[in-house]
Amino acid sequence: MDLFSEQERAALARNAPLATRMRPRTLDEFVGQEHILASGRLLRRMLDADRLRTAILCGPPGCGKTTLARLVAEKSQARFEWLNATSAGVKDVRAIGEAARQRLTSTRQRTVLFIDEIHRFNRGQQDALLADVEEGVLTLIGATTENPYFSVNGPLLSRSTIFALRALSADQIAALCRRALADSERGLAAQSATCDDDALLWLAEQAEGDARRALNALEIAVASQLAAGQPPHVTLAIAADSMQRKIISYDASGDLHYDVTSAFIKSMRGSDPDAAIYWLARMLEAGEDPRFIARRVAICASEDVGCADPTAVLVAAAAVQVTELVGVPECEYALAQAAVHIACAPKSNAVALAISEARREVRERPVQPVPIHLRDASYPGAARRGHGAGYVYAHEAPGGVSGQAHMDQPRVYYRPTDRGAEAALAARLEEFRRLRAAAAAQQRDPLAGRG
């Protein structure tokens, strides 16, 4: 049975993708993640001391999460068990835990359980891990492309060390491709494959930090030429044809979604139309819902431009309507127009601050009653209750401004800036306040101001 198992493993290894065959066999072969694996860094110190118990590896695809988990198991001479959270359940977790317990008591060999995409486990499935993790029966290593603080429950997080892995650089991916070309046992050297430097660099750059993607494209380029009976030499054209259109790294429900959206909004707020257009293009190319983008544009128009350019919200509202009316791809023009308009507009958050301050006061302080002269007097019986008594119609007052108070305890919430159209509003508001003060004085003393 051992012979057949070994033959099966050998057959699987021969037919595995290049990225799988070229996985590092030791930590010294591992490329990248120096911020946690370099000498003296936390993960390296934990591995050297054999003190790693539970860890969550979070990072983008193809940065080495699975490989690192395997190396941890090998370094500690532990049994390596692998589960994918998209297909595994509580029954699988408990079966591995029971086997690990028996193994630990009979042979003292520890078990490393690697759970890929651990964020796919629901709360009950994650809770099933707690007892074996707490007792040291399992060394759990979870991998996720999501933010673990959102996707992994609190009890499991409290027992874990979080390691954030980074996307590999183009130079690091190019080095891995060169290693594959030079390796005759696991790589492509047995096929005498070669690759032009510009083709190698293109693959490394287009992979966007994902080593698996670059290695798989390199393997396709070599295999396609072998199938056609040609010497396997990869040029830039062949490399581009093998990778096809690059995949835009984006997750509509994950961190990157919010990061790109944040960059888009902050670029408009920061008066940088070029950056705003780039982040808009990033979202559109990744398939983001254009209606979501339109809503963000409309919010920015009022929150960050406001009365400094009152037309901004009109342009944003038009972009929302056009997006609903024509959809993709044509709505991109209206979205781009609105983004550029907002980025180039004078900025003021005075309106946003005003409504925020007013709502906070409504929440935290006693509410003010509606002054009797401002109350609705249109319904039967309202006049007998004094509603509307003494109200001064503003259009009949000098300058169209009456001296009546509109709050029992007047407050100042809106403080216009000196930018754009709001500068004129600030001057007009001062004039309104002067007229209101004069009218109020006239109402208190009808003879005031007369000679």
Side-chain angles (χ1 to χ4, degrees), residues 13 45 404 438:
R45 286 189 284 109
Q404 287 189 319

Side-chain angles (χ1 to χ4, degrees), residues 208 245-250 260-261 263-265 267-268 272-290 293 297 328-329 331-333 335-337 339-340:
E208 296 201 338
R245 184 177 182 271
K246 73 175 182 179
I247 297 173
I248 304 299
S249 180
Y250 197 79
V260 174
T261 302
F264 175 55
I265 293 169
S267 297
M268 288 189 291
D272 189 339
D274 299 305
I277 287 291
Y278 174 81
W279 296 119
L280 172 60
R282 175 82 174 267
M283 289 189 285
L284 291 171
E285 283 295 312
E288 179 62 85
D289 184 349
I293 301 173
V297 170
V328 292
C331 68
E332 68 183 47
Y333 307 126
L335 291 173
Q337 178 184 355
V340 168

Side-chain angles (χ1 to χ4, degrees), residues 62-321:
C63 66
K65 299 185 292 294
T66 304
T67 298
L68 187 54
R70 289 183 179 275
L71 293 176
V72 168
E74 291 176 8
K75 187 172 179 61
S76 61
Q77 297 183 332
R79 172 69 173 264
F80 183 82
E81 297 285 354
W82 179 90
L83 288 178
N84 190 302
T86 59
S87 57
V90 171
K91 181 179 179 181
D92 302 298
V93 170
R94 288 177 176 163
I96 290 175
E98 182 58 32
R101 189 180 297 272
Q102 293 178 4
R103 191 178 300 114
L104 188 62
T105 55
S106 61
T107 67
R108 296 188 178 182
Q109 184 185 29
R110 287 181 295 169
T111 301
V112 170
L113 172 57
F114 175 72
I115 301 181
D116 200 8
E117 300 188 78
I118 194 171
H119 60 277
R120 300 288 187 183
F121 265 2
N122 61 34
R123 181 171 295 275
Q125 292 168 317
Q126 292 184 30
D127 286 344
L129 296 162
L130 293 177
D132 288 336
V133 168
E134 184 73 26
E135 296 173 16
V137 173
L138 291 173
T139 296
L140 173 66
I141 301 179
T144 177
T145 56
E146 305 287 329
N147 186 332
Y149 294 100
F150 296 152
S151 57
V152 179
N153 67 27
L156 195 54
L157 276 180
S158 68
R159 293 164 172 81
S160 306
T161 305
I162 310 298
F163 293 101
L165 277 65
R166 300 169 182 169
L168 300 183
S169 69
D171 288 341
Q172 289 170 335
I173 293 177
L176 289 173
C177 291
R178 291 189 183 95
R179 181 186 293 177
L181 288 166
D183 192 311
S184 57
E185 178 187 352
R186 299 176 296 156
L188 301 170
Q191 287 84 27
S192 301
T194 57
C195 183
D196 290 340
D197 287 341
D198 59 348
L200 200 65
L201 182 60
W202 189 91
L203 287 172
E205 290 176 343
Q206 294 300 303
E208 296 201 338
D210 187 338
R212 184 186 302 109
R213 180 168 162 75
L215 288 169
N216 287 343
L218 179 61
E219 184 177 32
I220 290 170
V222 171
S224 63
Q225 290 181 289
L226 287 172
Q230 301 172 351
H233 176 73
V234 181
T235 65
L236 180 58
I238 294 172
D241 188 56
S242 299
M243 184 171 277
Q244 293 295 322
R245 184 177 182 271
K246 73 175 182 179
I247 297 173
I248 304 299
S249 180
Y250 197 79
D251 181 352
S253 62
D255 285 353
L256 197 55
H257 159 79
Y258 295 105
D259 289 343
V260 174
T261 302
S262 176
F264 175 55
I265 293 169
K266 289 171 181 173
S267 297
M268 288 189 291
R269 179 185 300 146
S271 302
D272 189 339
D274 299 305
I277 287 291
Y278 174 81
W279 296 119
L280 172 60
R282 175 82 174 267
M283 289 189 285
L284 291 171
E285 283 295 312
E288 179 62 85
D289 184 349
R291 294 171 298 182
F292 168 82
I293 301 173
R295 291 194 294 269
R296 303 280 77 75
V297 170
I299 292 168
C300 191
S302 290
E303 181 181 6
D304 296 306
V305 177
C307 291
D309 180 1
T311 65
V313 72
L314 301 179
V315 173
V320 172
Q321 290 182 308

